[in-house]
Amino acid sequence: MKKIALTLMILLLAGASVFAQSDLQVLAIVKYNKSESITVKQLKSRCEVYKKQLNRPLTVEEKKSTLDSLINEKLMIQAAQEAGVTVPDSYVDQYFSQVMSQSVGRAITEKELSDYIKKTEGITLDELLVKQMGMNVADYKAFLKNQLLMQQYVVQKNKAELEKVAPTDEEIRMFYESNKSTFVWNDILKILLVVVEKGSNADNAKLKLNDLLNKYKDKKITADQLAVQSEQGTAGYQAGEVLVPKNEASAQGLGMPFQNLLVLFSQDEGFISAIQETENDYRFVSIIKKYNAKMLNLSDIVQPETTVTVYDYIRSTLAQQKQMMYVQTAAQNMSKTLNTSDNVEMKKSGAALDKLLDWGE
């Protein structure tokens, strides 16, 4: 019996070894200005990302297309690096936060998102991204960095052409007519928000906020003065004017139930709240101005307290879309130019490649 068990163990280990060797097989070598291998394992990792997005396994042809994409990416990255294009990690971190903010519908830092995911989902941000995208935070940032590097390289090489890409007046007006119902103001409040963190002494924090509240009520200090003084390192509080649309996302951003936000909207301009307590701070709000909901014309400003009109906003949006499409097309053309037998050595092709790509899911 022991001999049989030992034999089975040897077979299992041998199987694992073959699997590992298969994953490490090189599919292609990219050598534009240095030699970089693309292995089965690397291709599987990228295919796993697409598998999660599509919610189905990829076909062999789709895996071939993904391999082509990996080859073109490496070619473009090598060319960008040779041209001296760089992307600082700080910029990648900022871009990552922007992407995450778009996904949750409000501005949020990486730490705030991590805390929120832990509280609401009971898992880490790493675990959530792996579950949804097949990449952890570090892998996703590395992916974003490469995308930004290639994008900046394409822009650098096509700067003159990109500057000529612009929407026409007719395109702007057609876009407005097609999307007229989306150009509206919801009811909006401009509020003063003053916050004192509890820190290690909640009683002192409450006393400090109460002093600020009384001074503001008695007109001994203005909203502008509160905001300016809050920026001093020793102020001990945060203050600023905020535009708040009437929706649940705004309530969540302010850390209050939506019902409480609706109560706030029912108050008049000049209203000053009592001290409110949250888990981490004490705060009060004051309504500076109220803006009623309305449909927007092309000449109206997109948002209160700004100077950007609907026309300008559409022109900028369409210009970005056109430029993005131009960059994508230019990137494809540039990578095709780089993808030559001198720069790429395929180690597997034909039936041999098909066999390697037909892995079990």
Side-chain angles (χ1 to χ4, degrees):
M1 187 68 181
K2 289 182 179 179
K3 289 183 179 179
I4 294 174
L6 181 60
T7 302
L8 287 173
M9 183 61 70
I10 291 172
L11 289 173
L12 287 171
L13 290 173
S17 175
V18 170
F19 180 77
Q21 289 174 8
S22 175
D23 270 8
L24 294 176
Q25 285 196 56
V26 176
L27 298 172
I29 297 176
V30 177
K31 47 183 180 178
Y32 175 76
N33 60 12
K34 62 180 177 180
S35 182
E36 288 187 282
S37 299
I38 297 177
T39 64
V40 174
K41 183 178 180 180
Q42 290 171 322
L43 179 61
K44 280 185 176 181
S45 295
R46 180 61 64 86
C47 287
E48 183 64 22
V49 174
Y50 296 150
K51 177 183 174 182
K52 287 184 179 295
Q53 292 175 355
L54 296 171
N55 198 29
R56 64 167 176 80
L58 272 64
T59 65
V60 170
E61 289 304 314
E62 287 172 332
K63 291 171 186 175
K64 284 183 182 179
S65 179
T66 303
L67 175 59
D68 289 340
S69 295
L70 283 174
I71 291 171
N72 289 336
E73 281 181 24
K74 285 193 179 294
L75 285 167
M76 291 290 287
I77 290 167
Q78 286 188 16
Q81 291 170 340
E82 184 181 60
V85 179
T86 59
V87 177
D89 289 339
S90 58
Y91 184 76
V92 178
D93 291 338
Q94 180 183 351
Y95 187 67
F96 174 80
S97 294
Q98 289 176 357
V99 172
M100 293 297 104
S101 295
Q102 290 174 0
S103 68
V104 300
R106 64 184 178 91
I108 193 168
T109 65
E110 184 175 338
K111 184 181 184 307
E112 288 172 339
L113 180 61
S114 296
D115 294 342
Y116 176 75
I117 296 301
K118 190 68 175 177
K119 183 177 180 180
T120 58
E121 303 290 334
I123 57 177
T124 65
L125 179 56
D126 257 344
E127 291 169 332
L128 179 69
L129 287 183
V130 169
K131 180 180 177 181
Q132 292 184 346
M133 305 176 63
M135 291 186 280
N136 60 25
V137 173
D139 290 338
Y140 187 47
K141 284 185 178 181
F143 172 78
L144 289 177
K145 185 169 187 174
N146 285 337
Q147 299 303 307
L148 291 168
L149 190 71
M150 290 187 290
Q151 185 182 76
Q152 289 190 21
Y153 176 61
V154 175
V155 170
Q156 177 180 298
K157 289 294 185 180
N158 298 271
K159 189 174 181 180
E161 290 79 5
L162 275 169
E163 289 176 351
K164 300 174 186 176
V165 177
T168 64
D169 179 73
E170 182 182 3
E171 288 173 329
I172 293 170
R173 293 182 183 279
M174 284 181 63
F175 184 90
Y176 172 74
E177 292 298 331
S178 299
N179 299 274
K180 206 171 193 177
S181 62
T182 65
F183 290 102
V184 296
W185 275 358
N186 196 350
D187 290 328
I188 298 173
L189 291 180
K190 180 182 179 182
I191 65 169
L192 168 69
L193 175 63
V194 183
V195 177
V196 178
E197 299 286 341
K198 289 181 179 178
S200 58
N201 194 324
D203 290 338
N204 281 352
K206 189 173 184 180
L207 286 172
K208 183 174 187 63
L209 184 69
N210 189 61
D211 180 56
L212 293 171
L213 175 59
N214 288 333
K215 287 179 178 177
Y216 182 69
K217 282 182 175 179
D218 295 339
K219 302 188 185 303
K220 293 179 179 179
I221 191 169
T222 66
D224 287 340
Q225 289 172 332
L226 278 169
V228 171
Q229 292 178 17
S230 71
E231 295 176 0
Q232 299 173 2
T234 58
Y237 70 93
Q238 297 172 326
E241 295 180 352
V242 186
L243 289 174
V244 183
K246 188 194 287 184
N247 55 46
E248 293 191 9
S250 296
Q252 187 179 38
L254 290 170
M256 66 169 62
F258 183 51
Q259 185 61 40
N260 289 12
L261 182 63
L262 293 179
V263 172
L264 189 60
F265 267 89
S266 68
Q267 306 298 328
D268 296 326
E269 290 183 4
F271 167 80
I272 304 173
S273 76
I275 292 178
Q276 302 167 352
E277 181 180 5
T278 72
E279 182 180 351
N280 300 312
D281 60 58
Y282 291 103
R283 58 180 60 188
F284 75 82
V285 298
S286 174
I287 298 178
I288 307 297
K289 191 171 181 60
K290 299 180 74 171
Y291 296 92
N292 295 323
K294 71 171 185 175
M295 294 287 297
L296 301 178
N297 295 314
L298 279 168
S299 59
D300 288 325
I301 57 174
V302 174
Q303 181 176 303
E305 313 292 320
T306 68
T307 59
V308 178
T309 65
V310 172
Y311 187 93
D312 293 336
Y313 172 80
I314 295 174
R315 179 174 57 191
S316 175
T317 300
L318 291 181
Q320 289 177 8
Q321 290 176 359
K322 285 191 163 210
Q323 288 172 352
M324 186 177 298
M325 291 176 63
Y326 183 92
V327 167
Q328 289 174 347
T329 303
Q332 291 172 358
N333 293 334
M334 290 170 69
S335 62
K336 284 180 182 178
T337 302
L338 294 172
N339 196 337
T340 65
S341 57
D342 290 336
N343 295 334
V344 180
E345 180 183 352
M346 295 300 299
K347 289 296 186 180
K348 297 291 178 182
S349 60
L353 178 60
D354 290 351
K355 184 177 180 180
L356 269 178
L357 300 188
D358 192 19
W359 60 69
E361 296 292 342

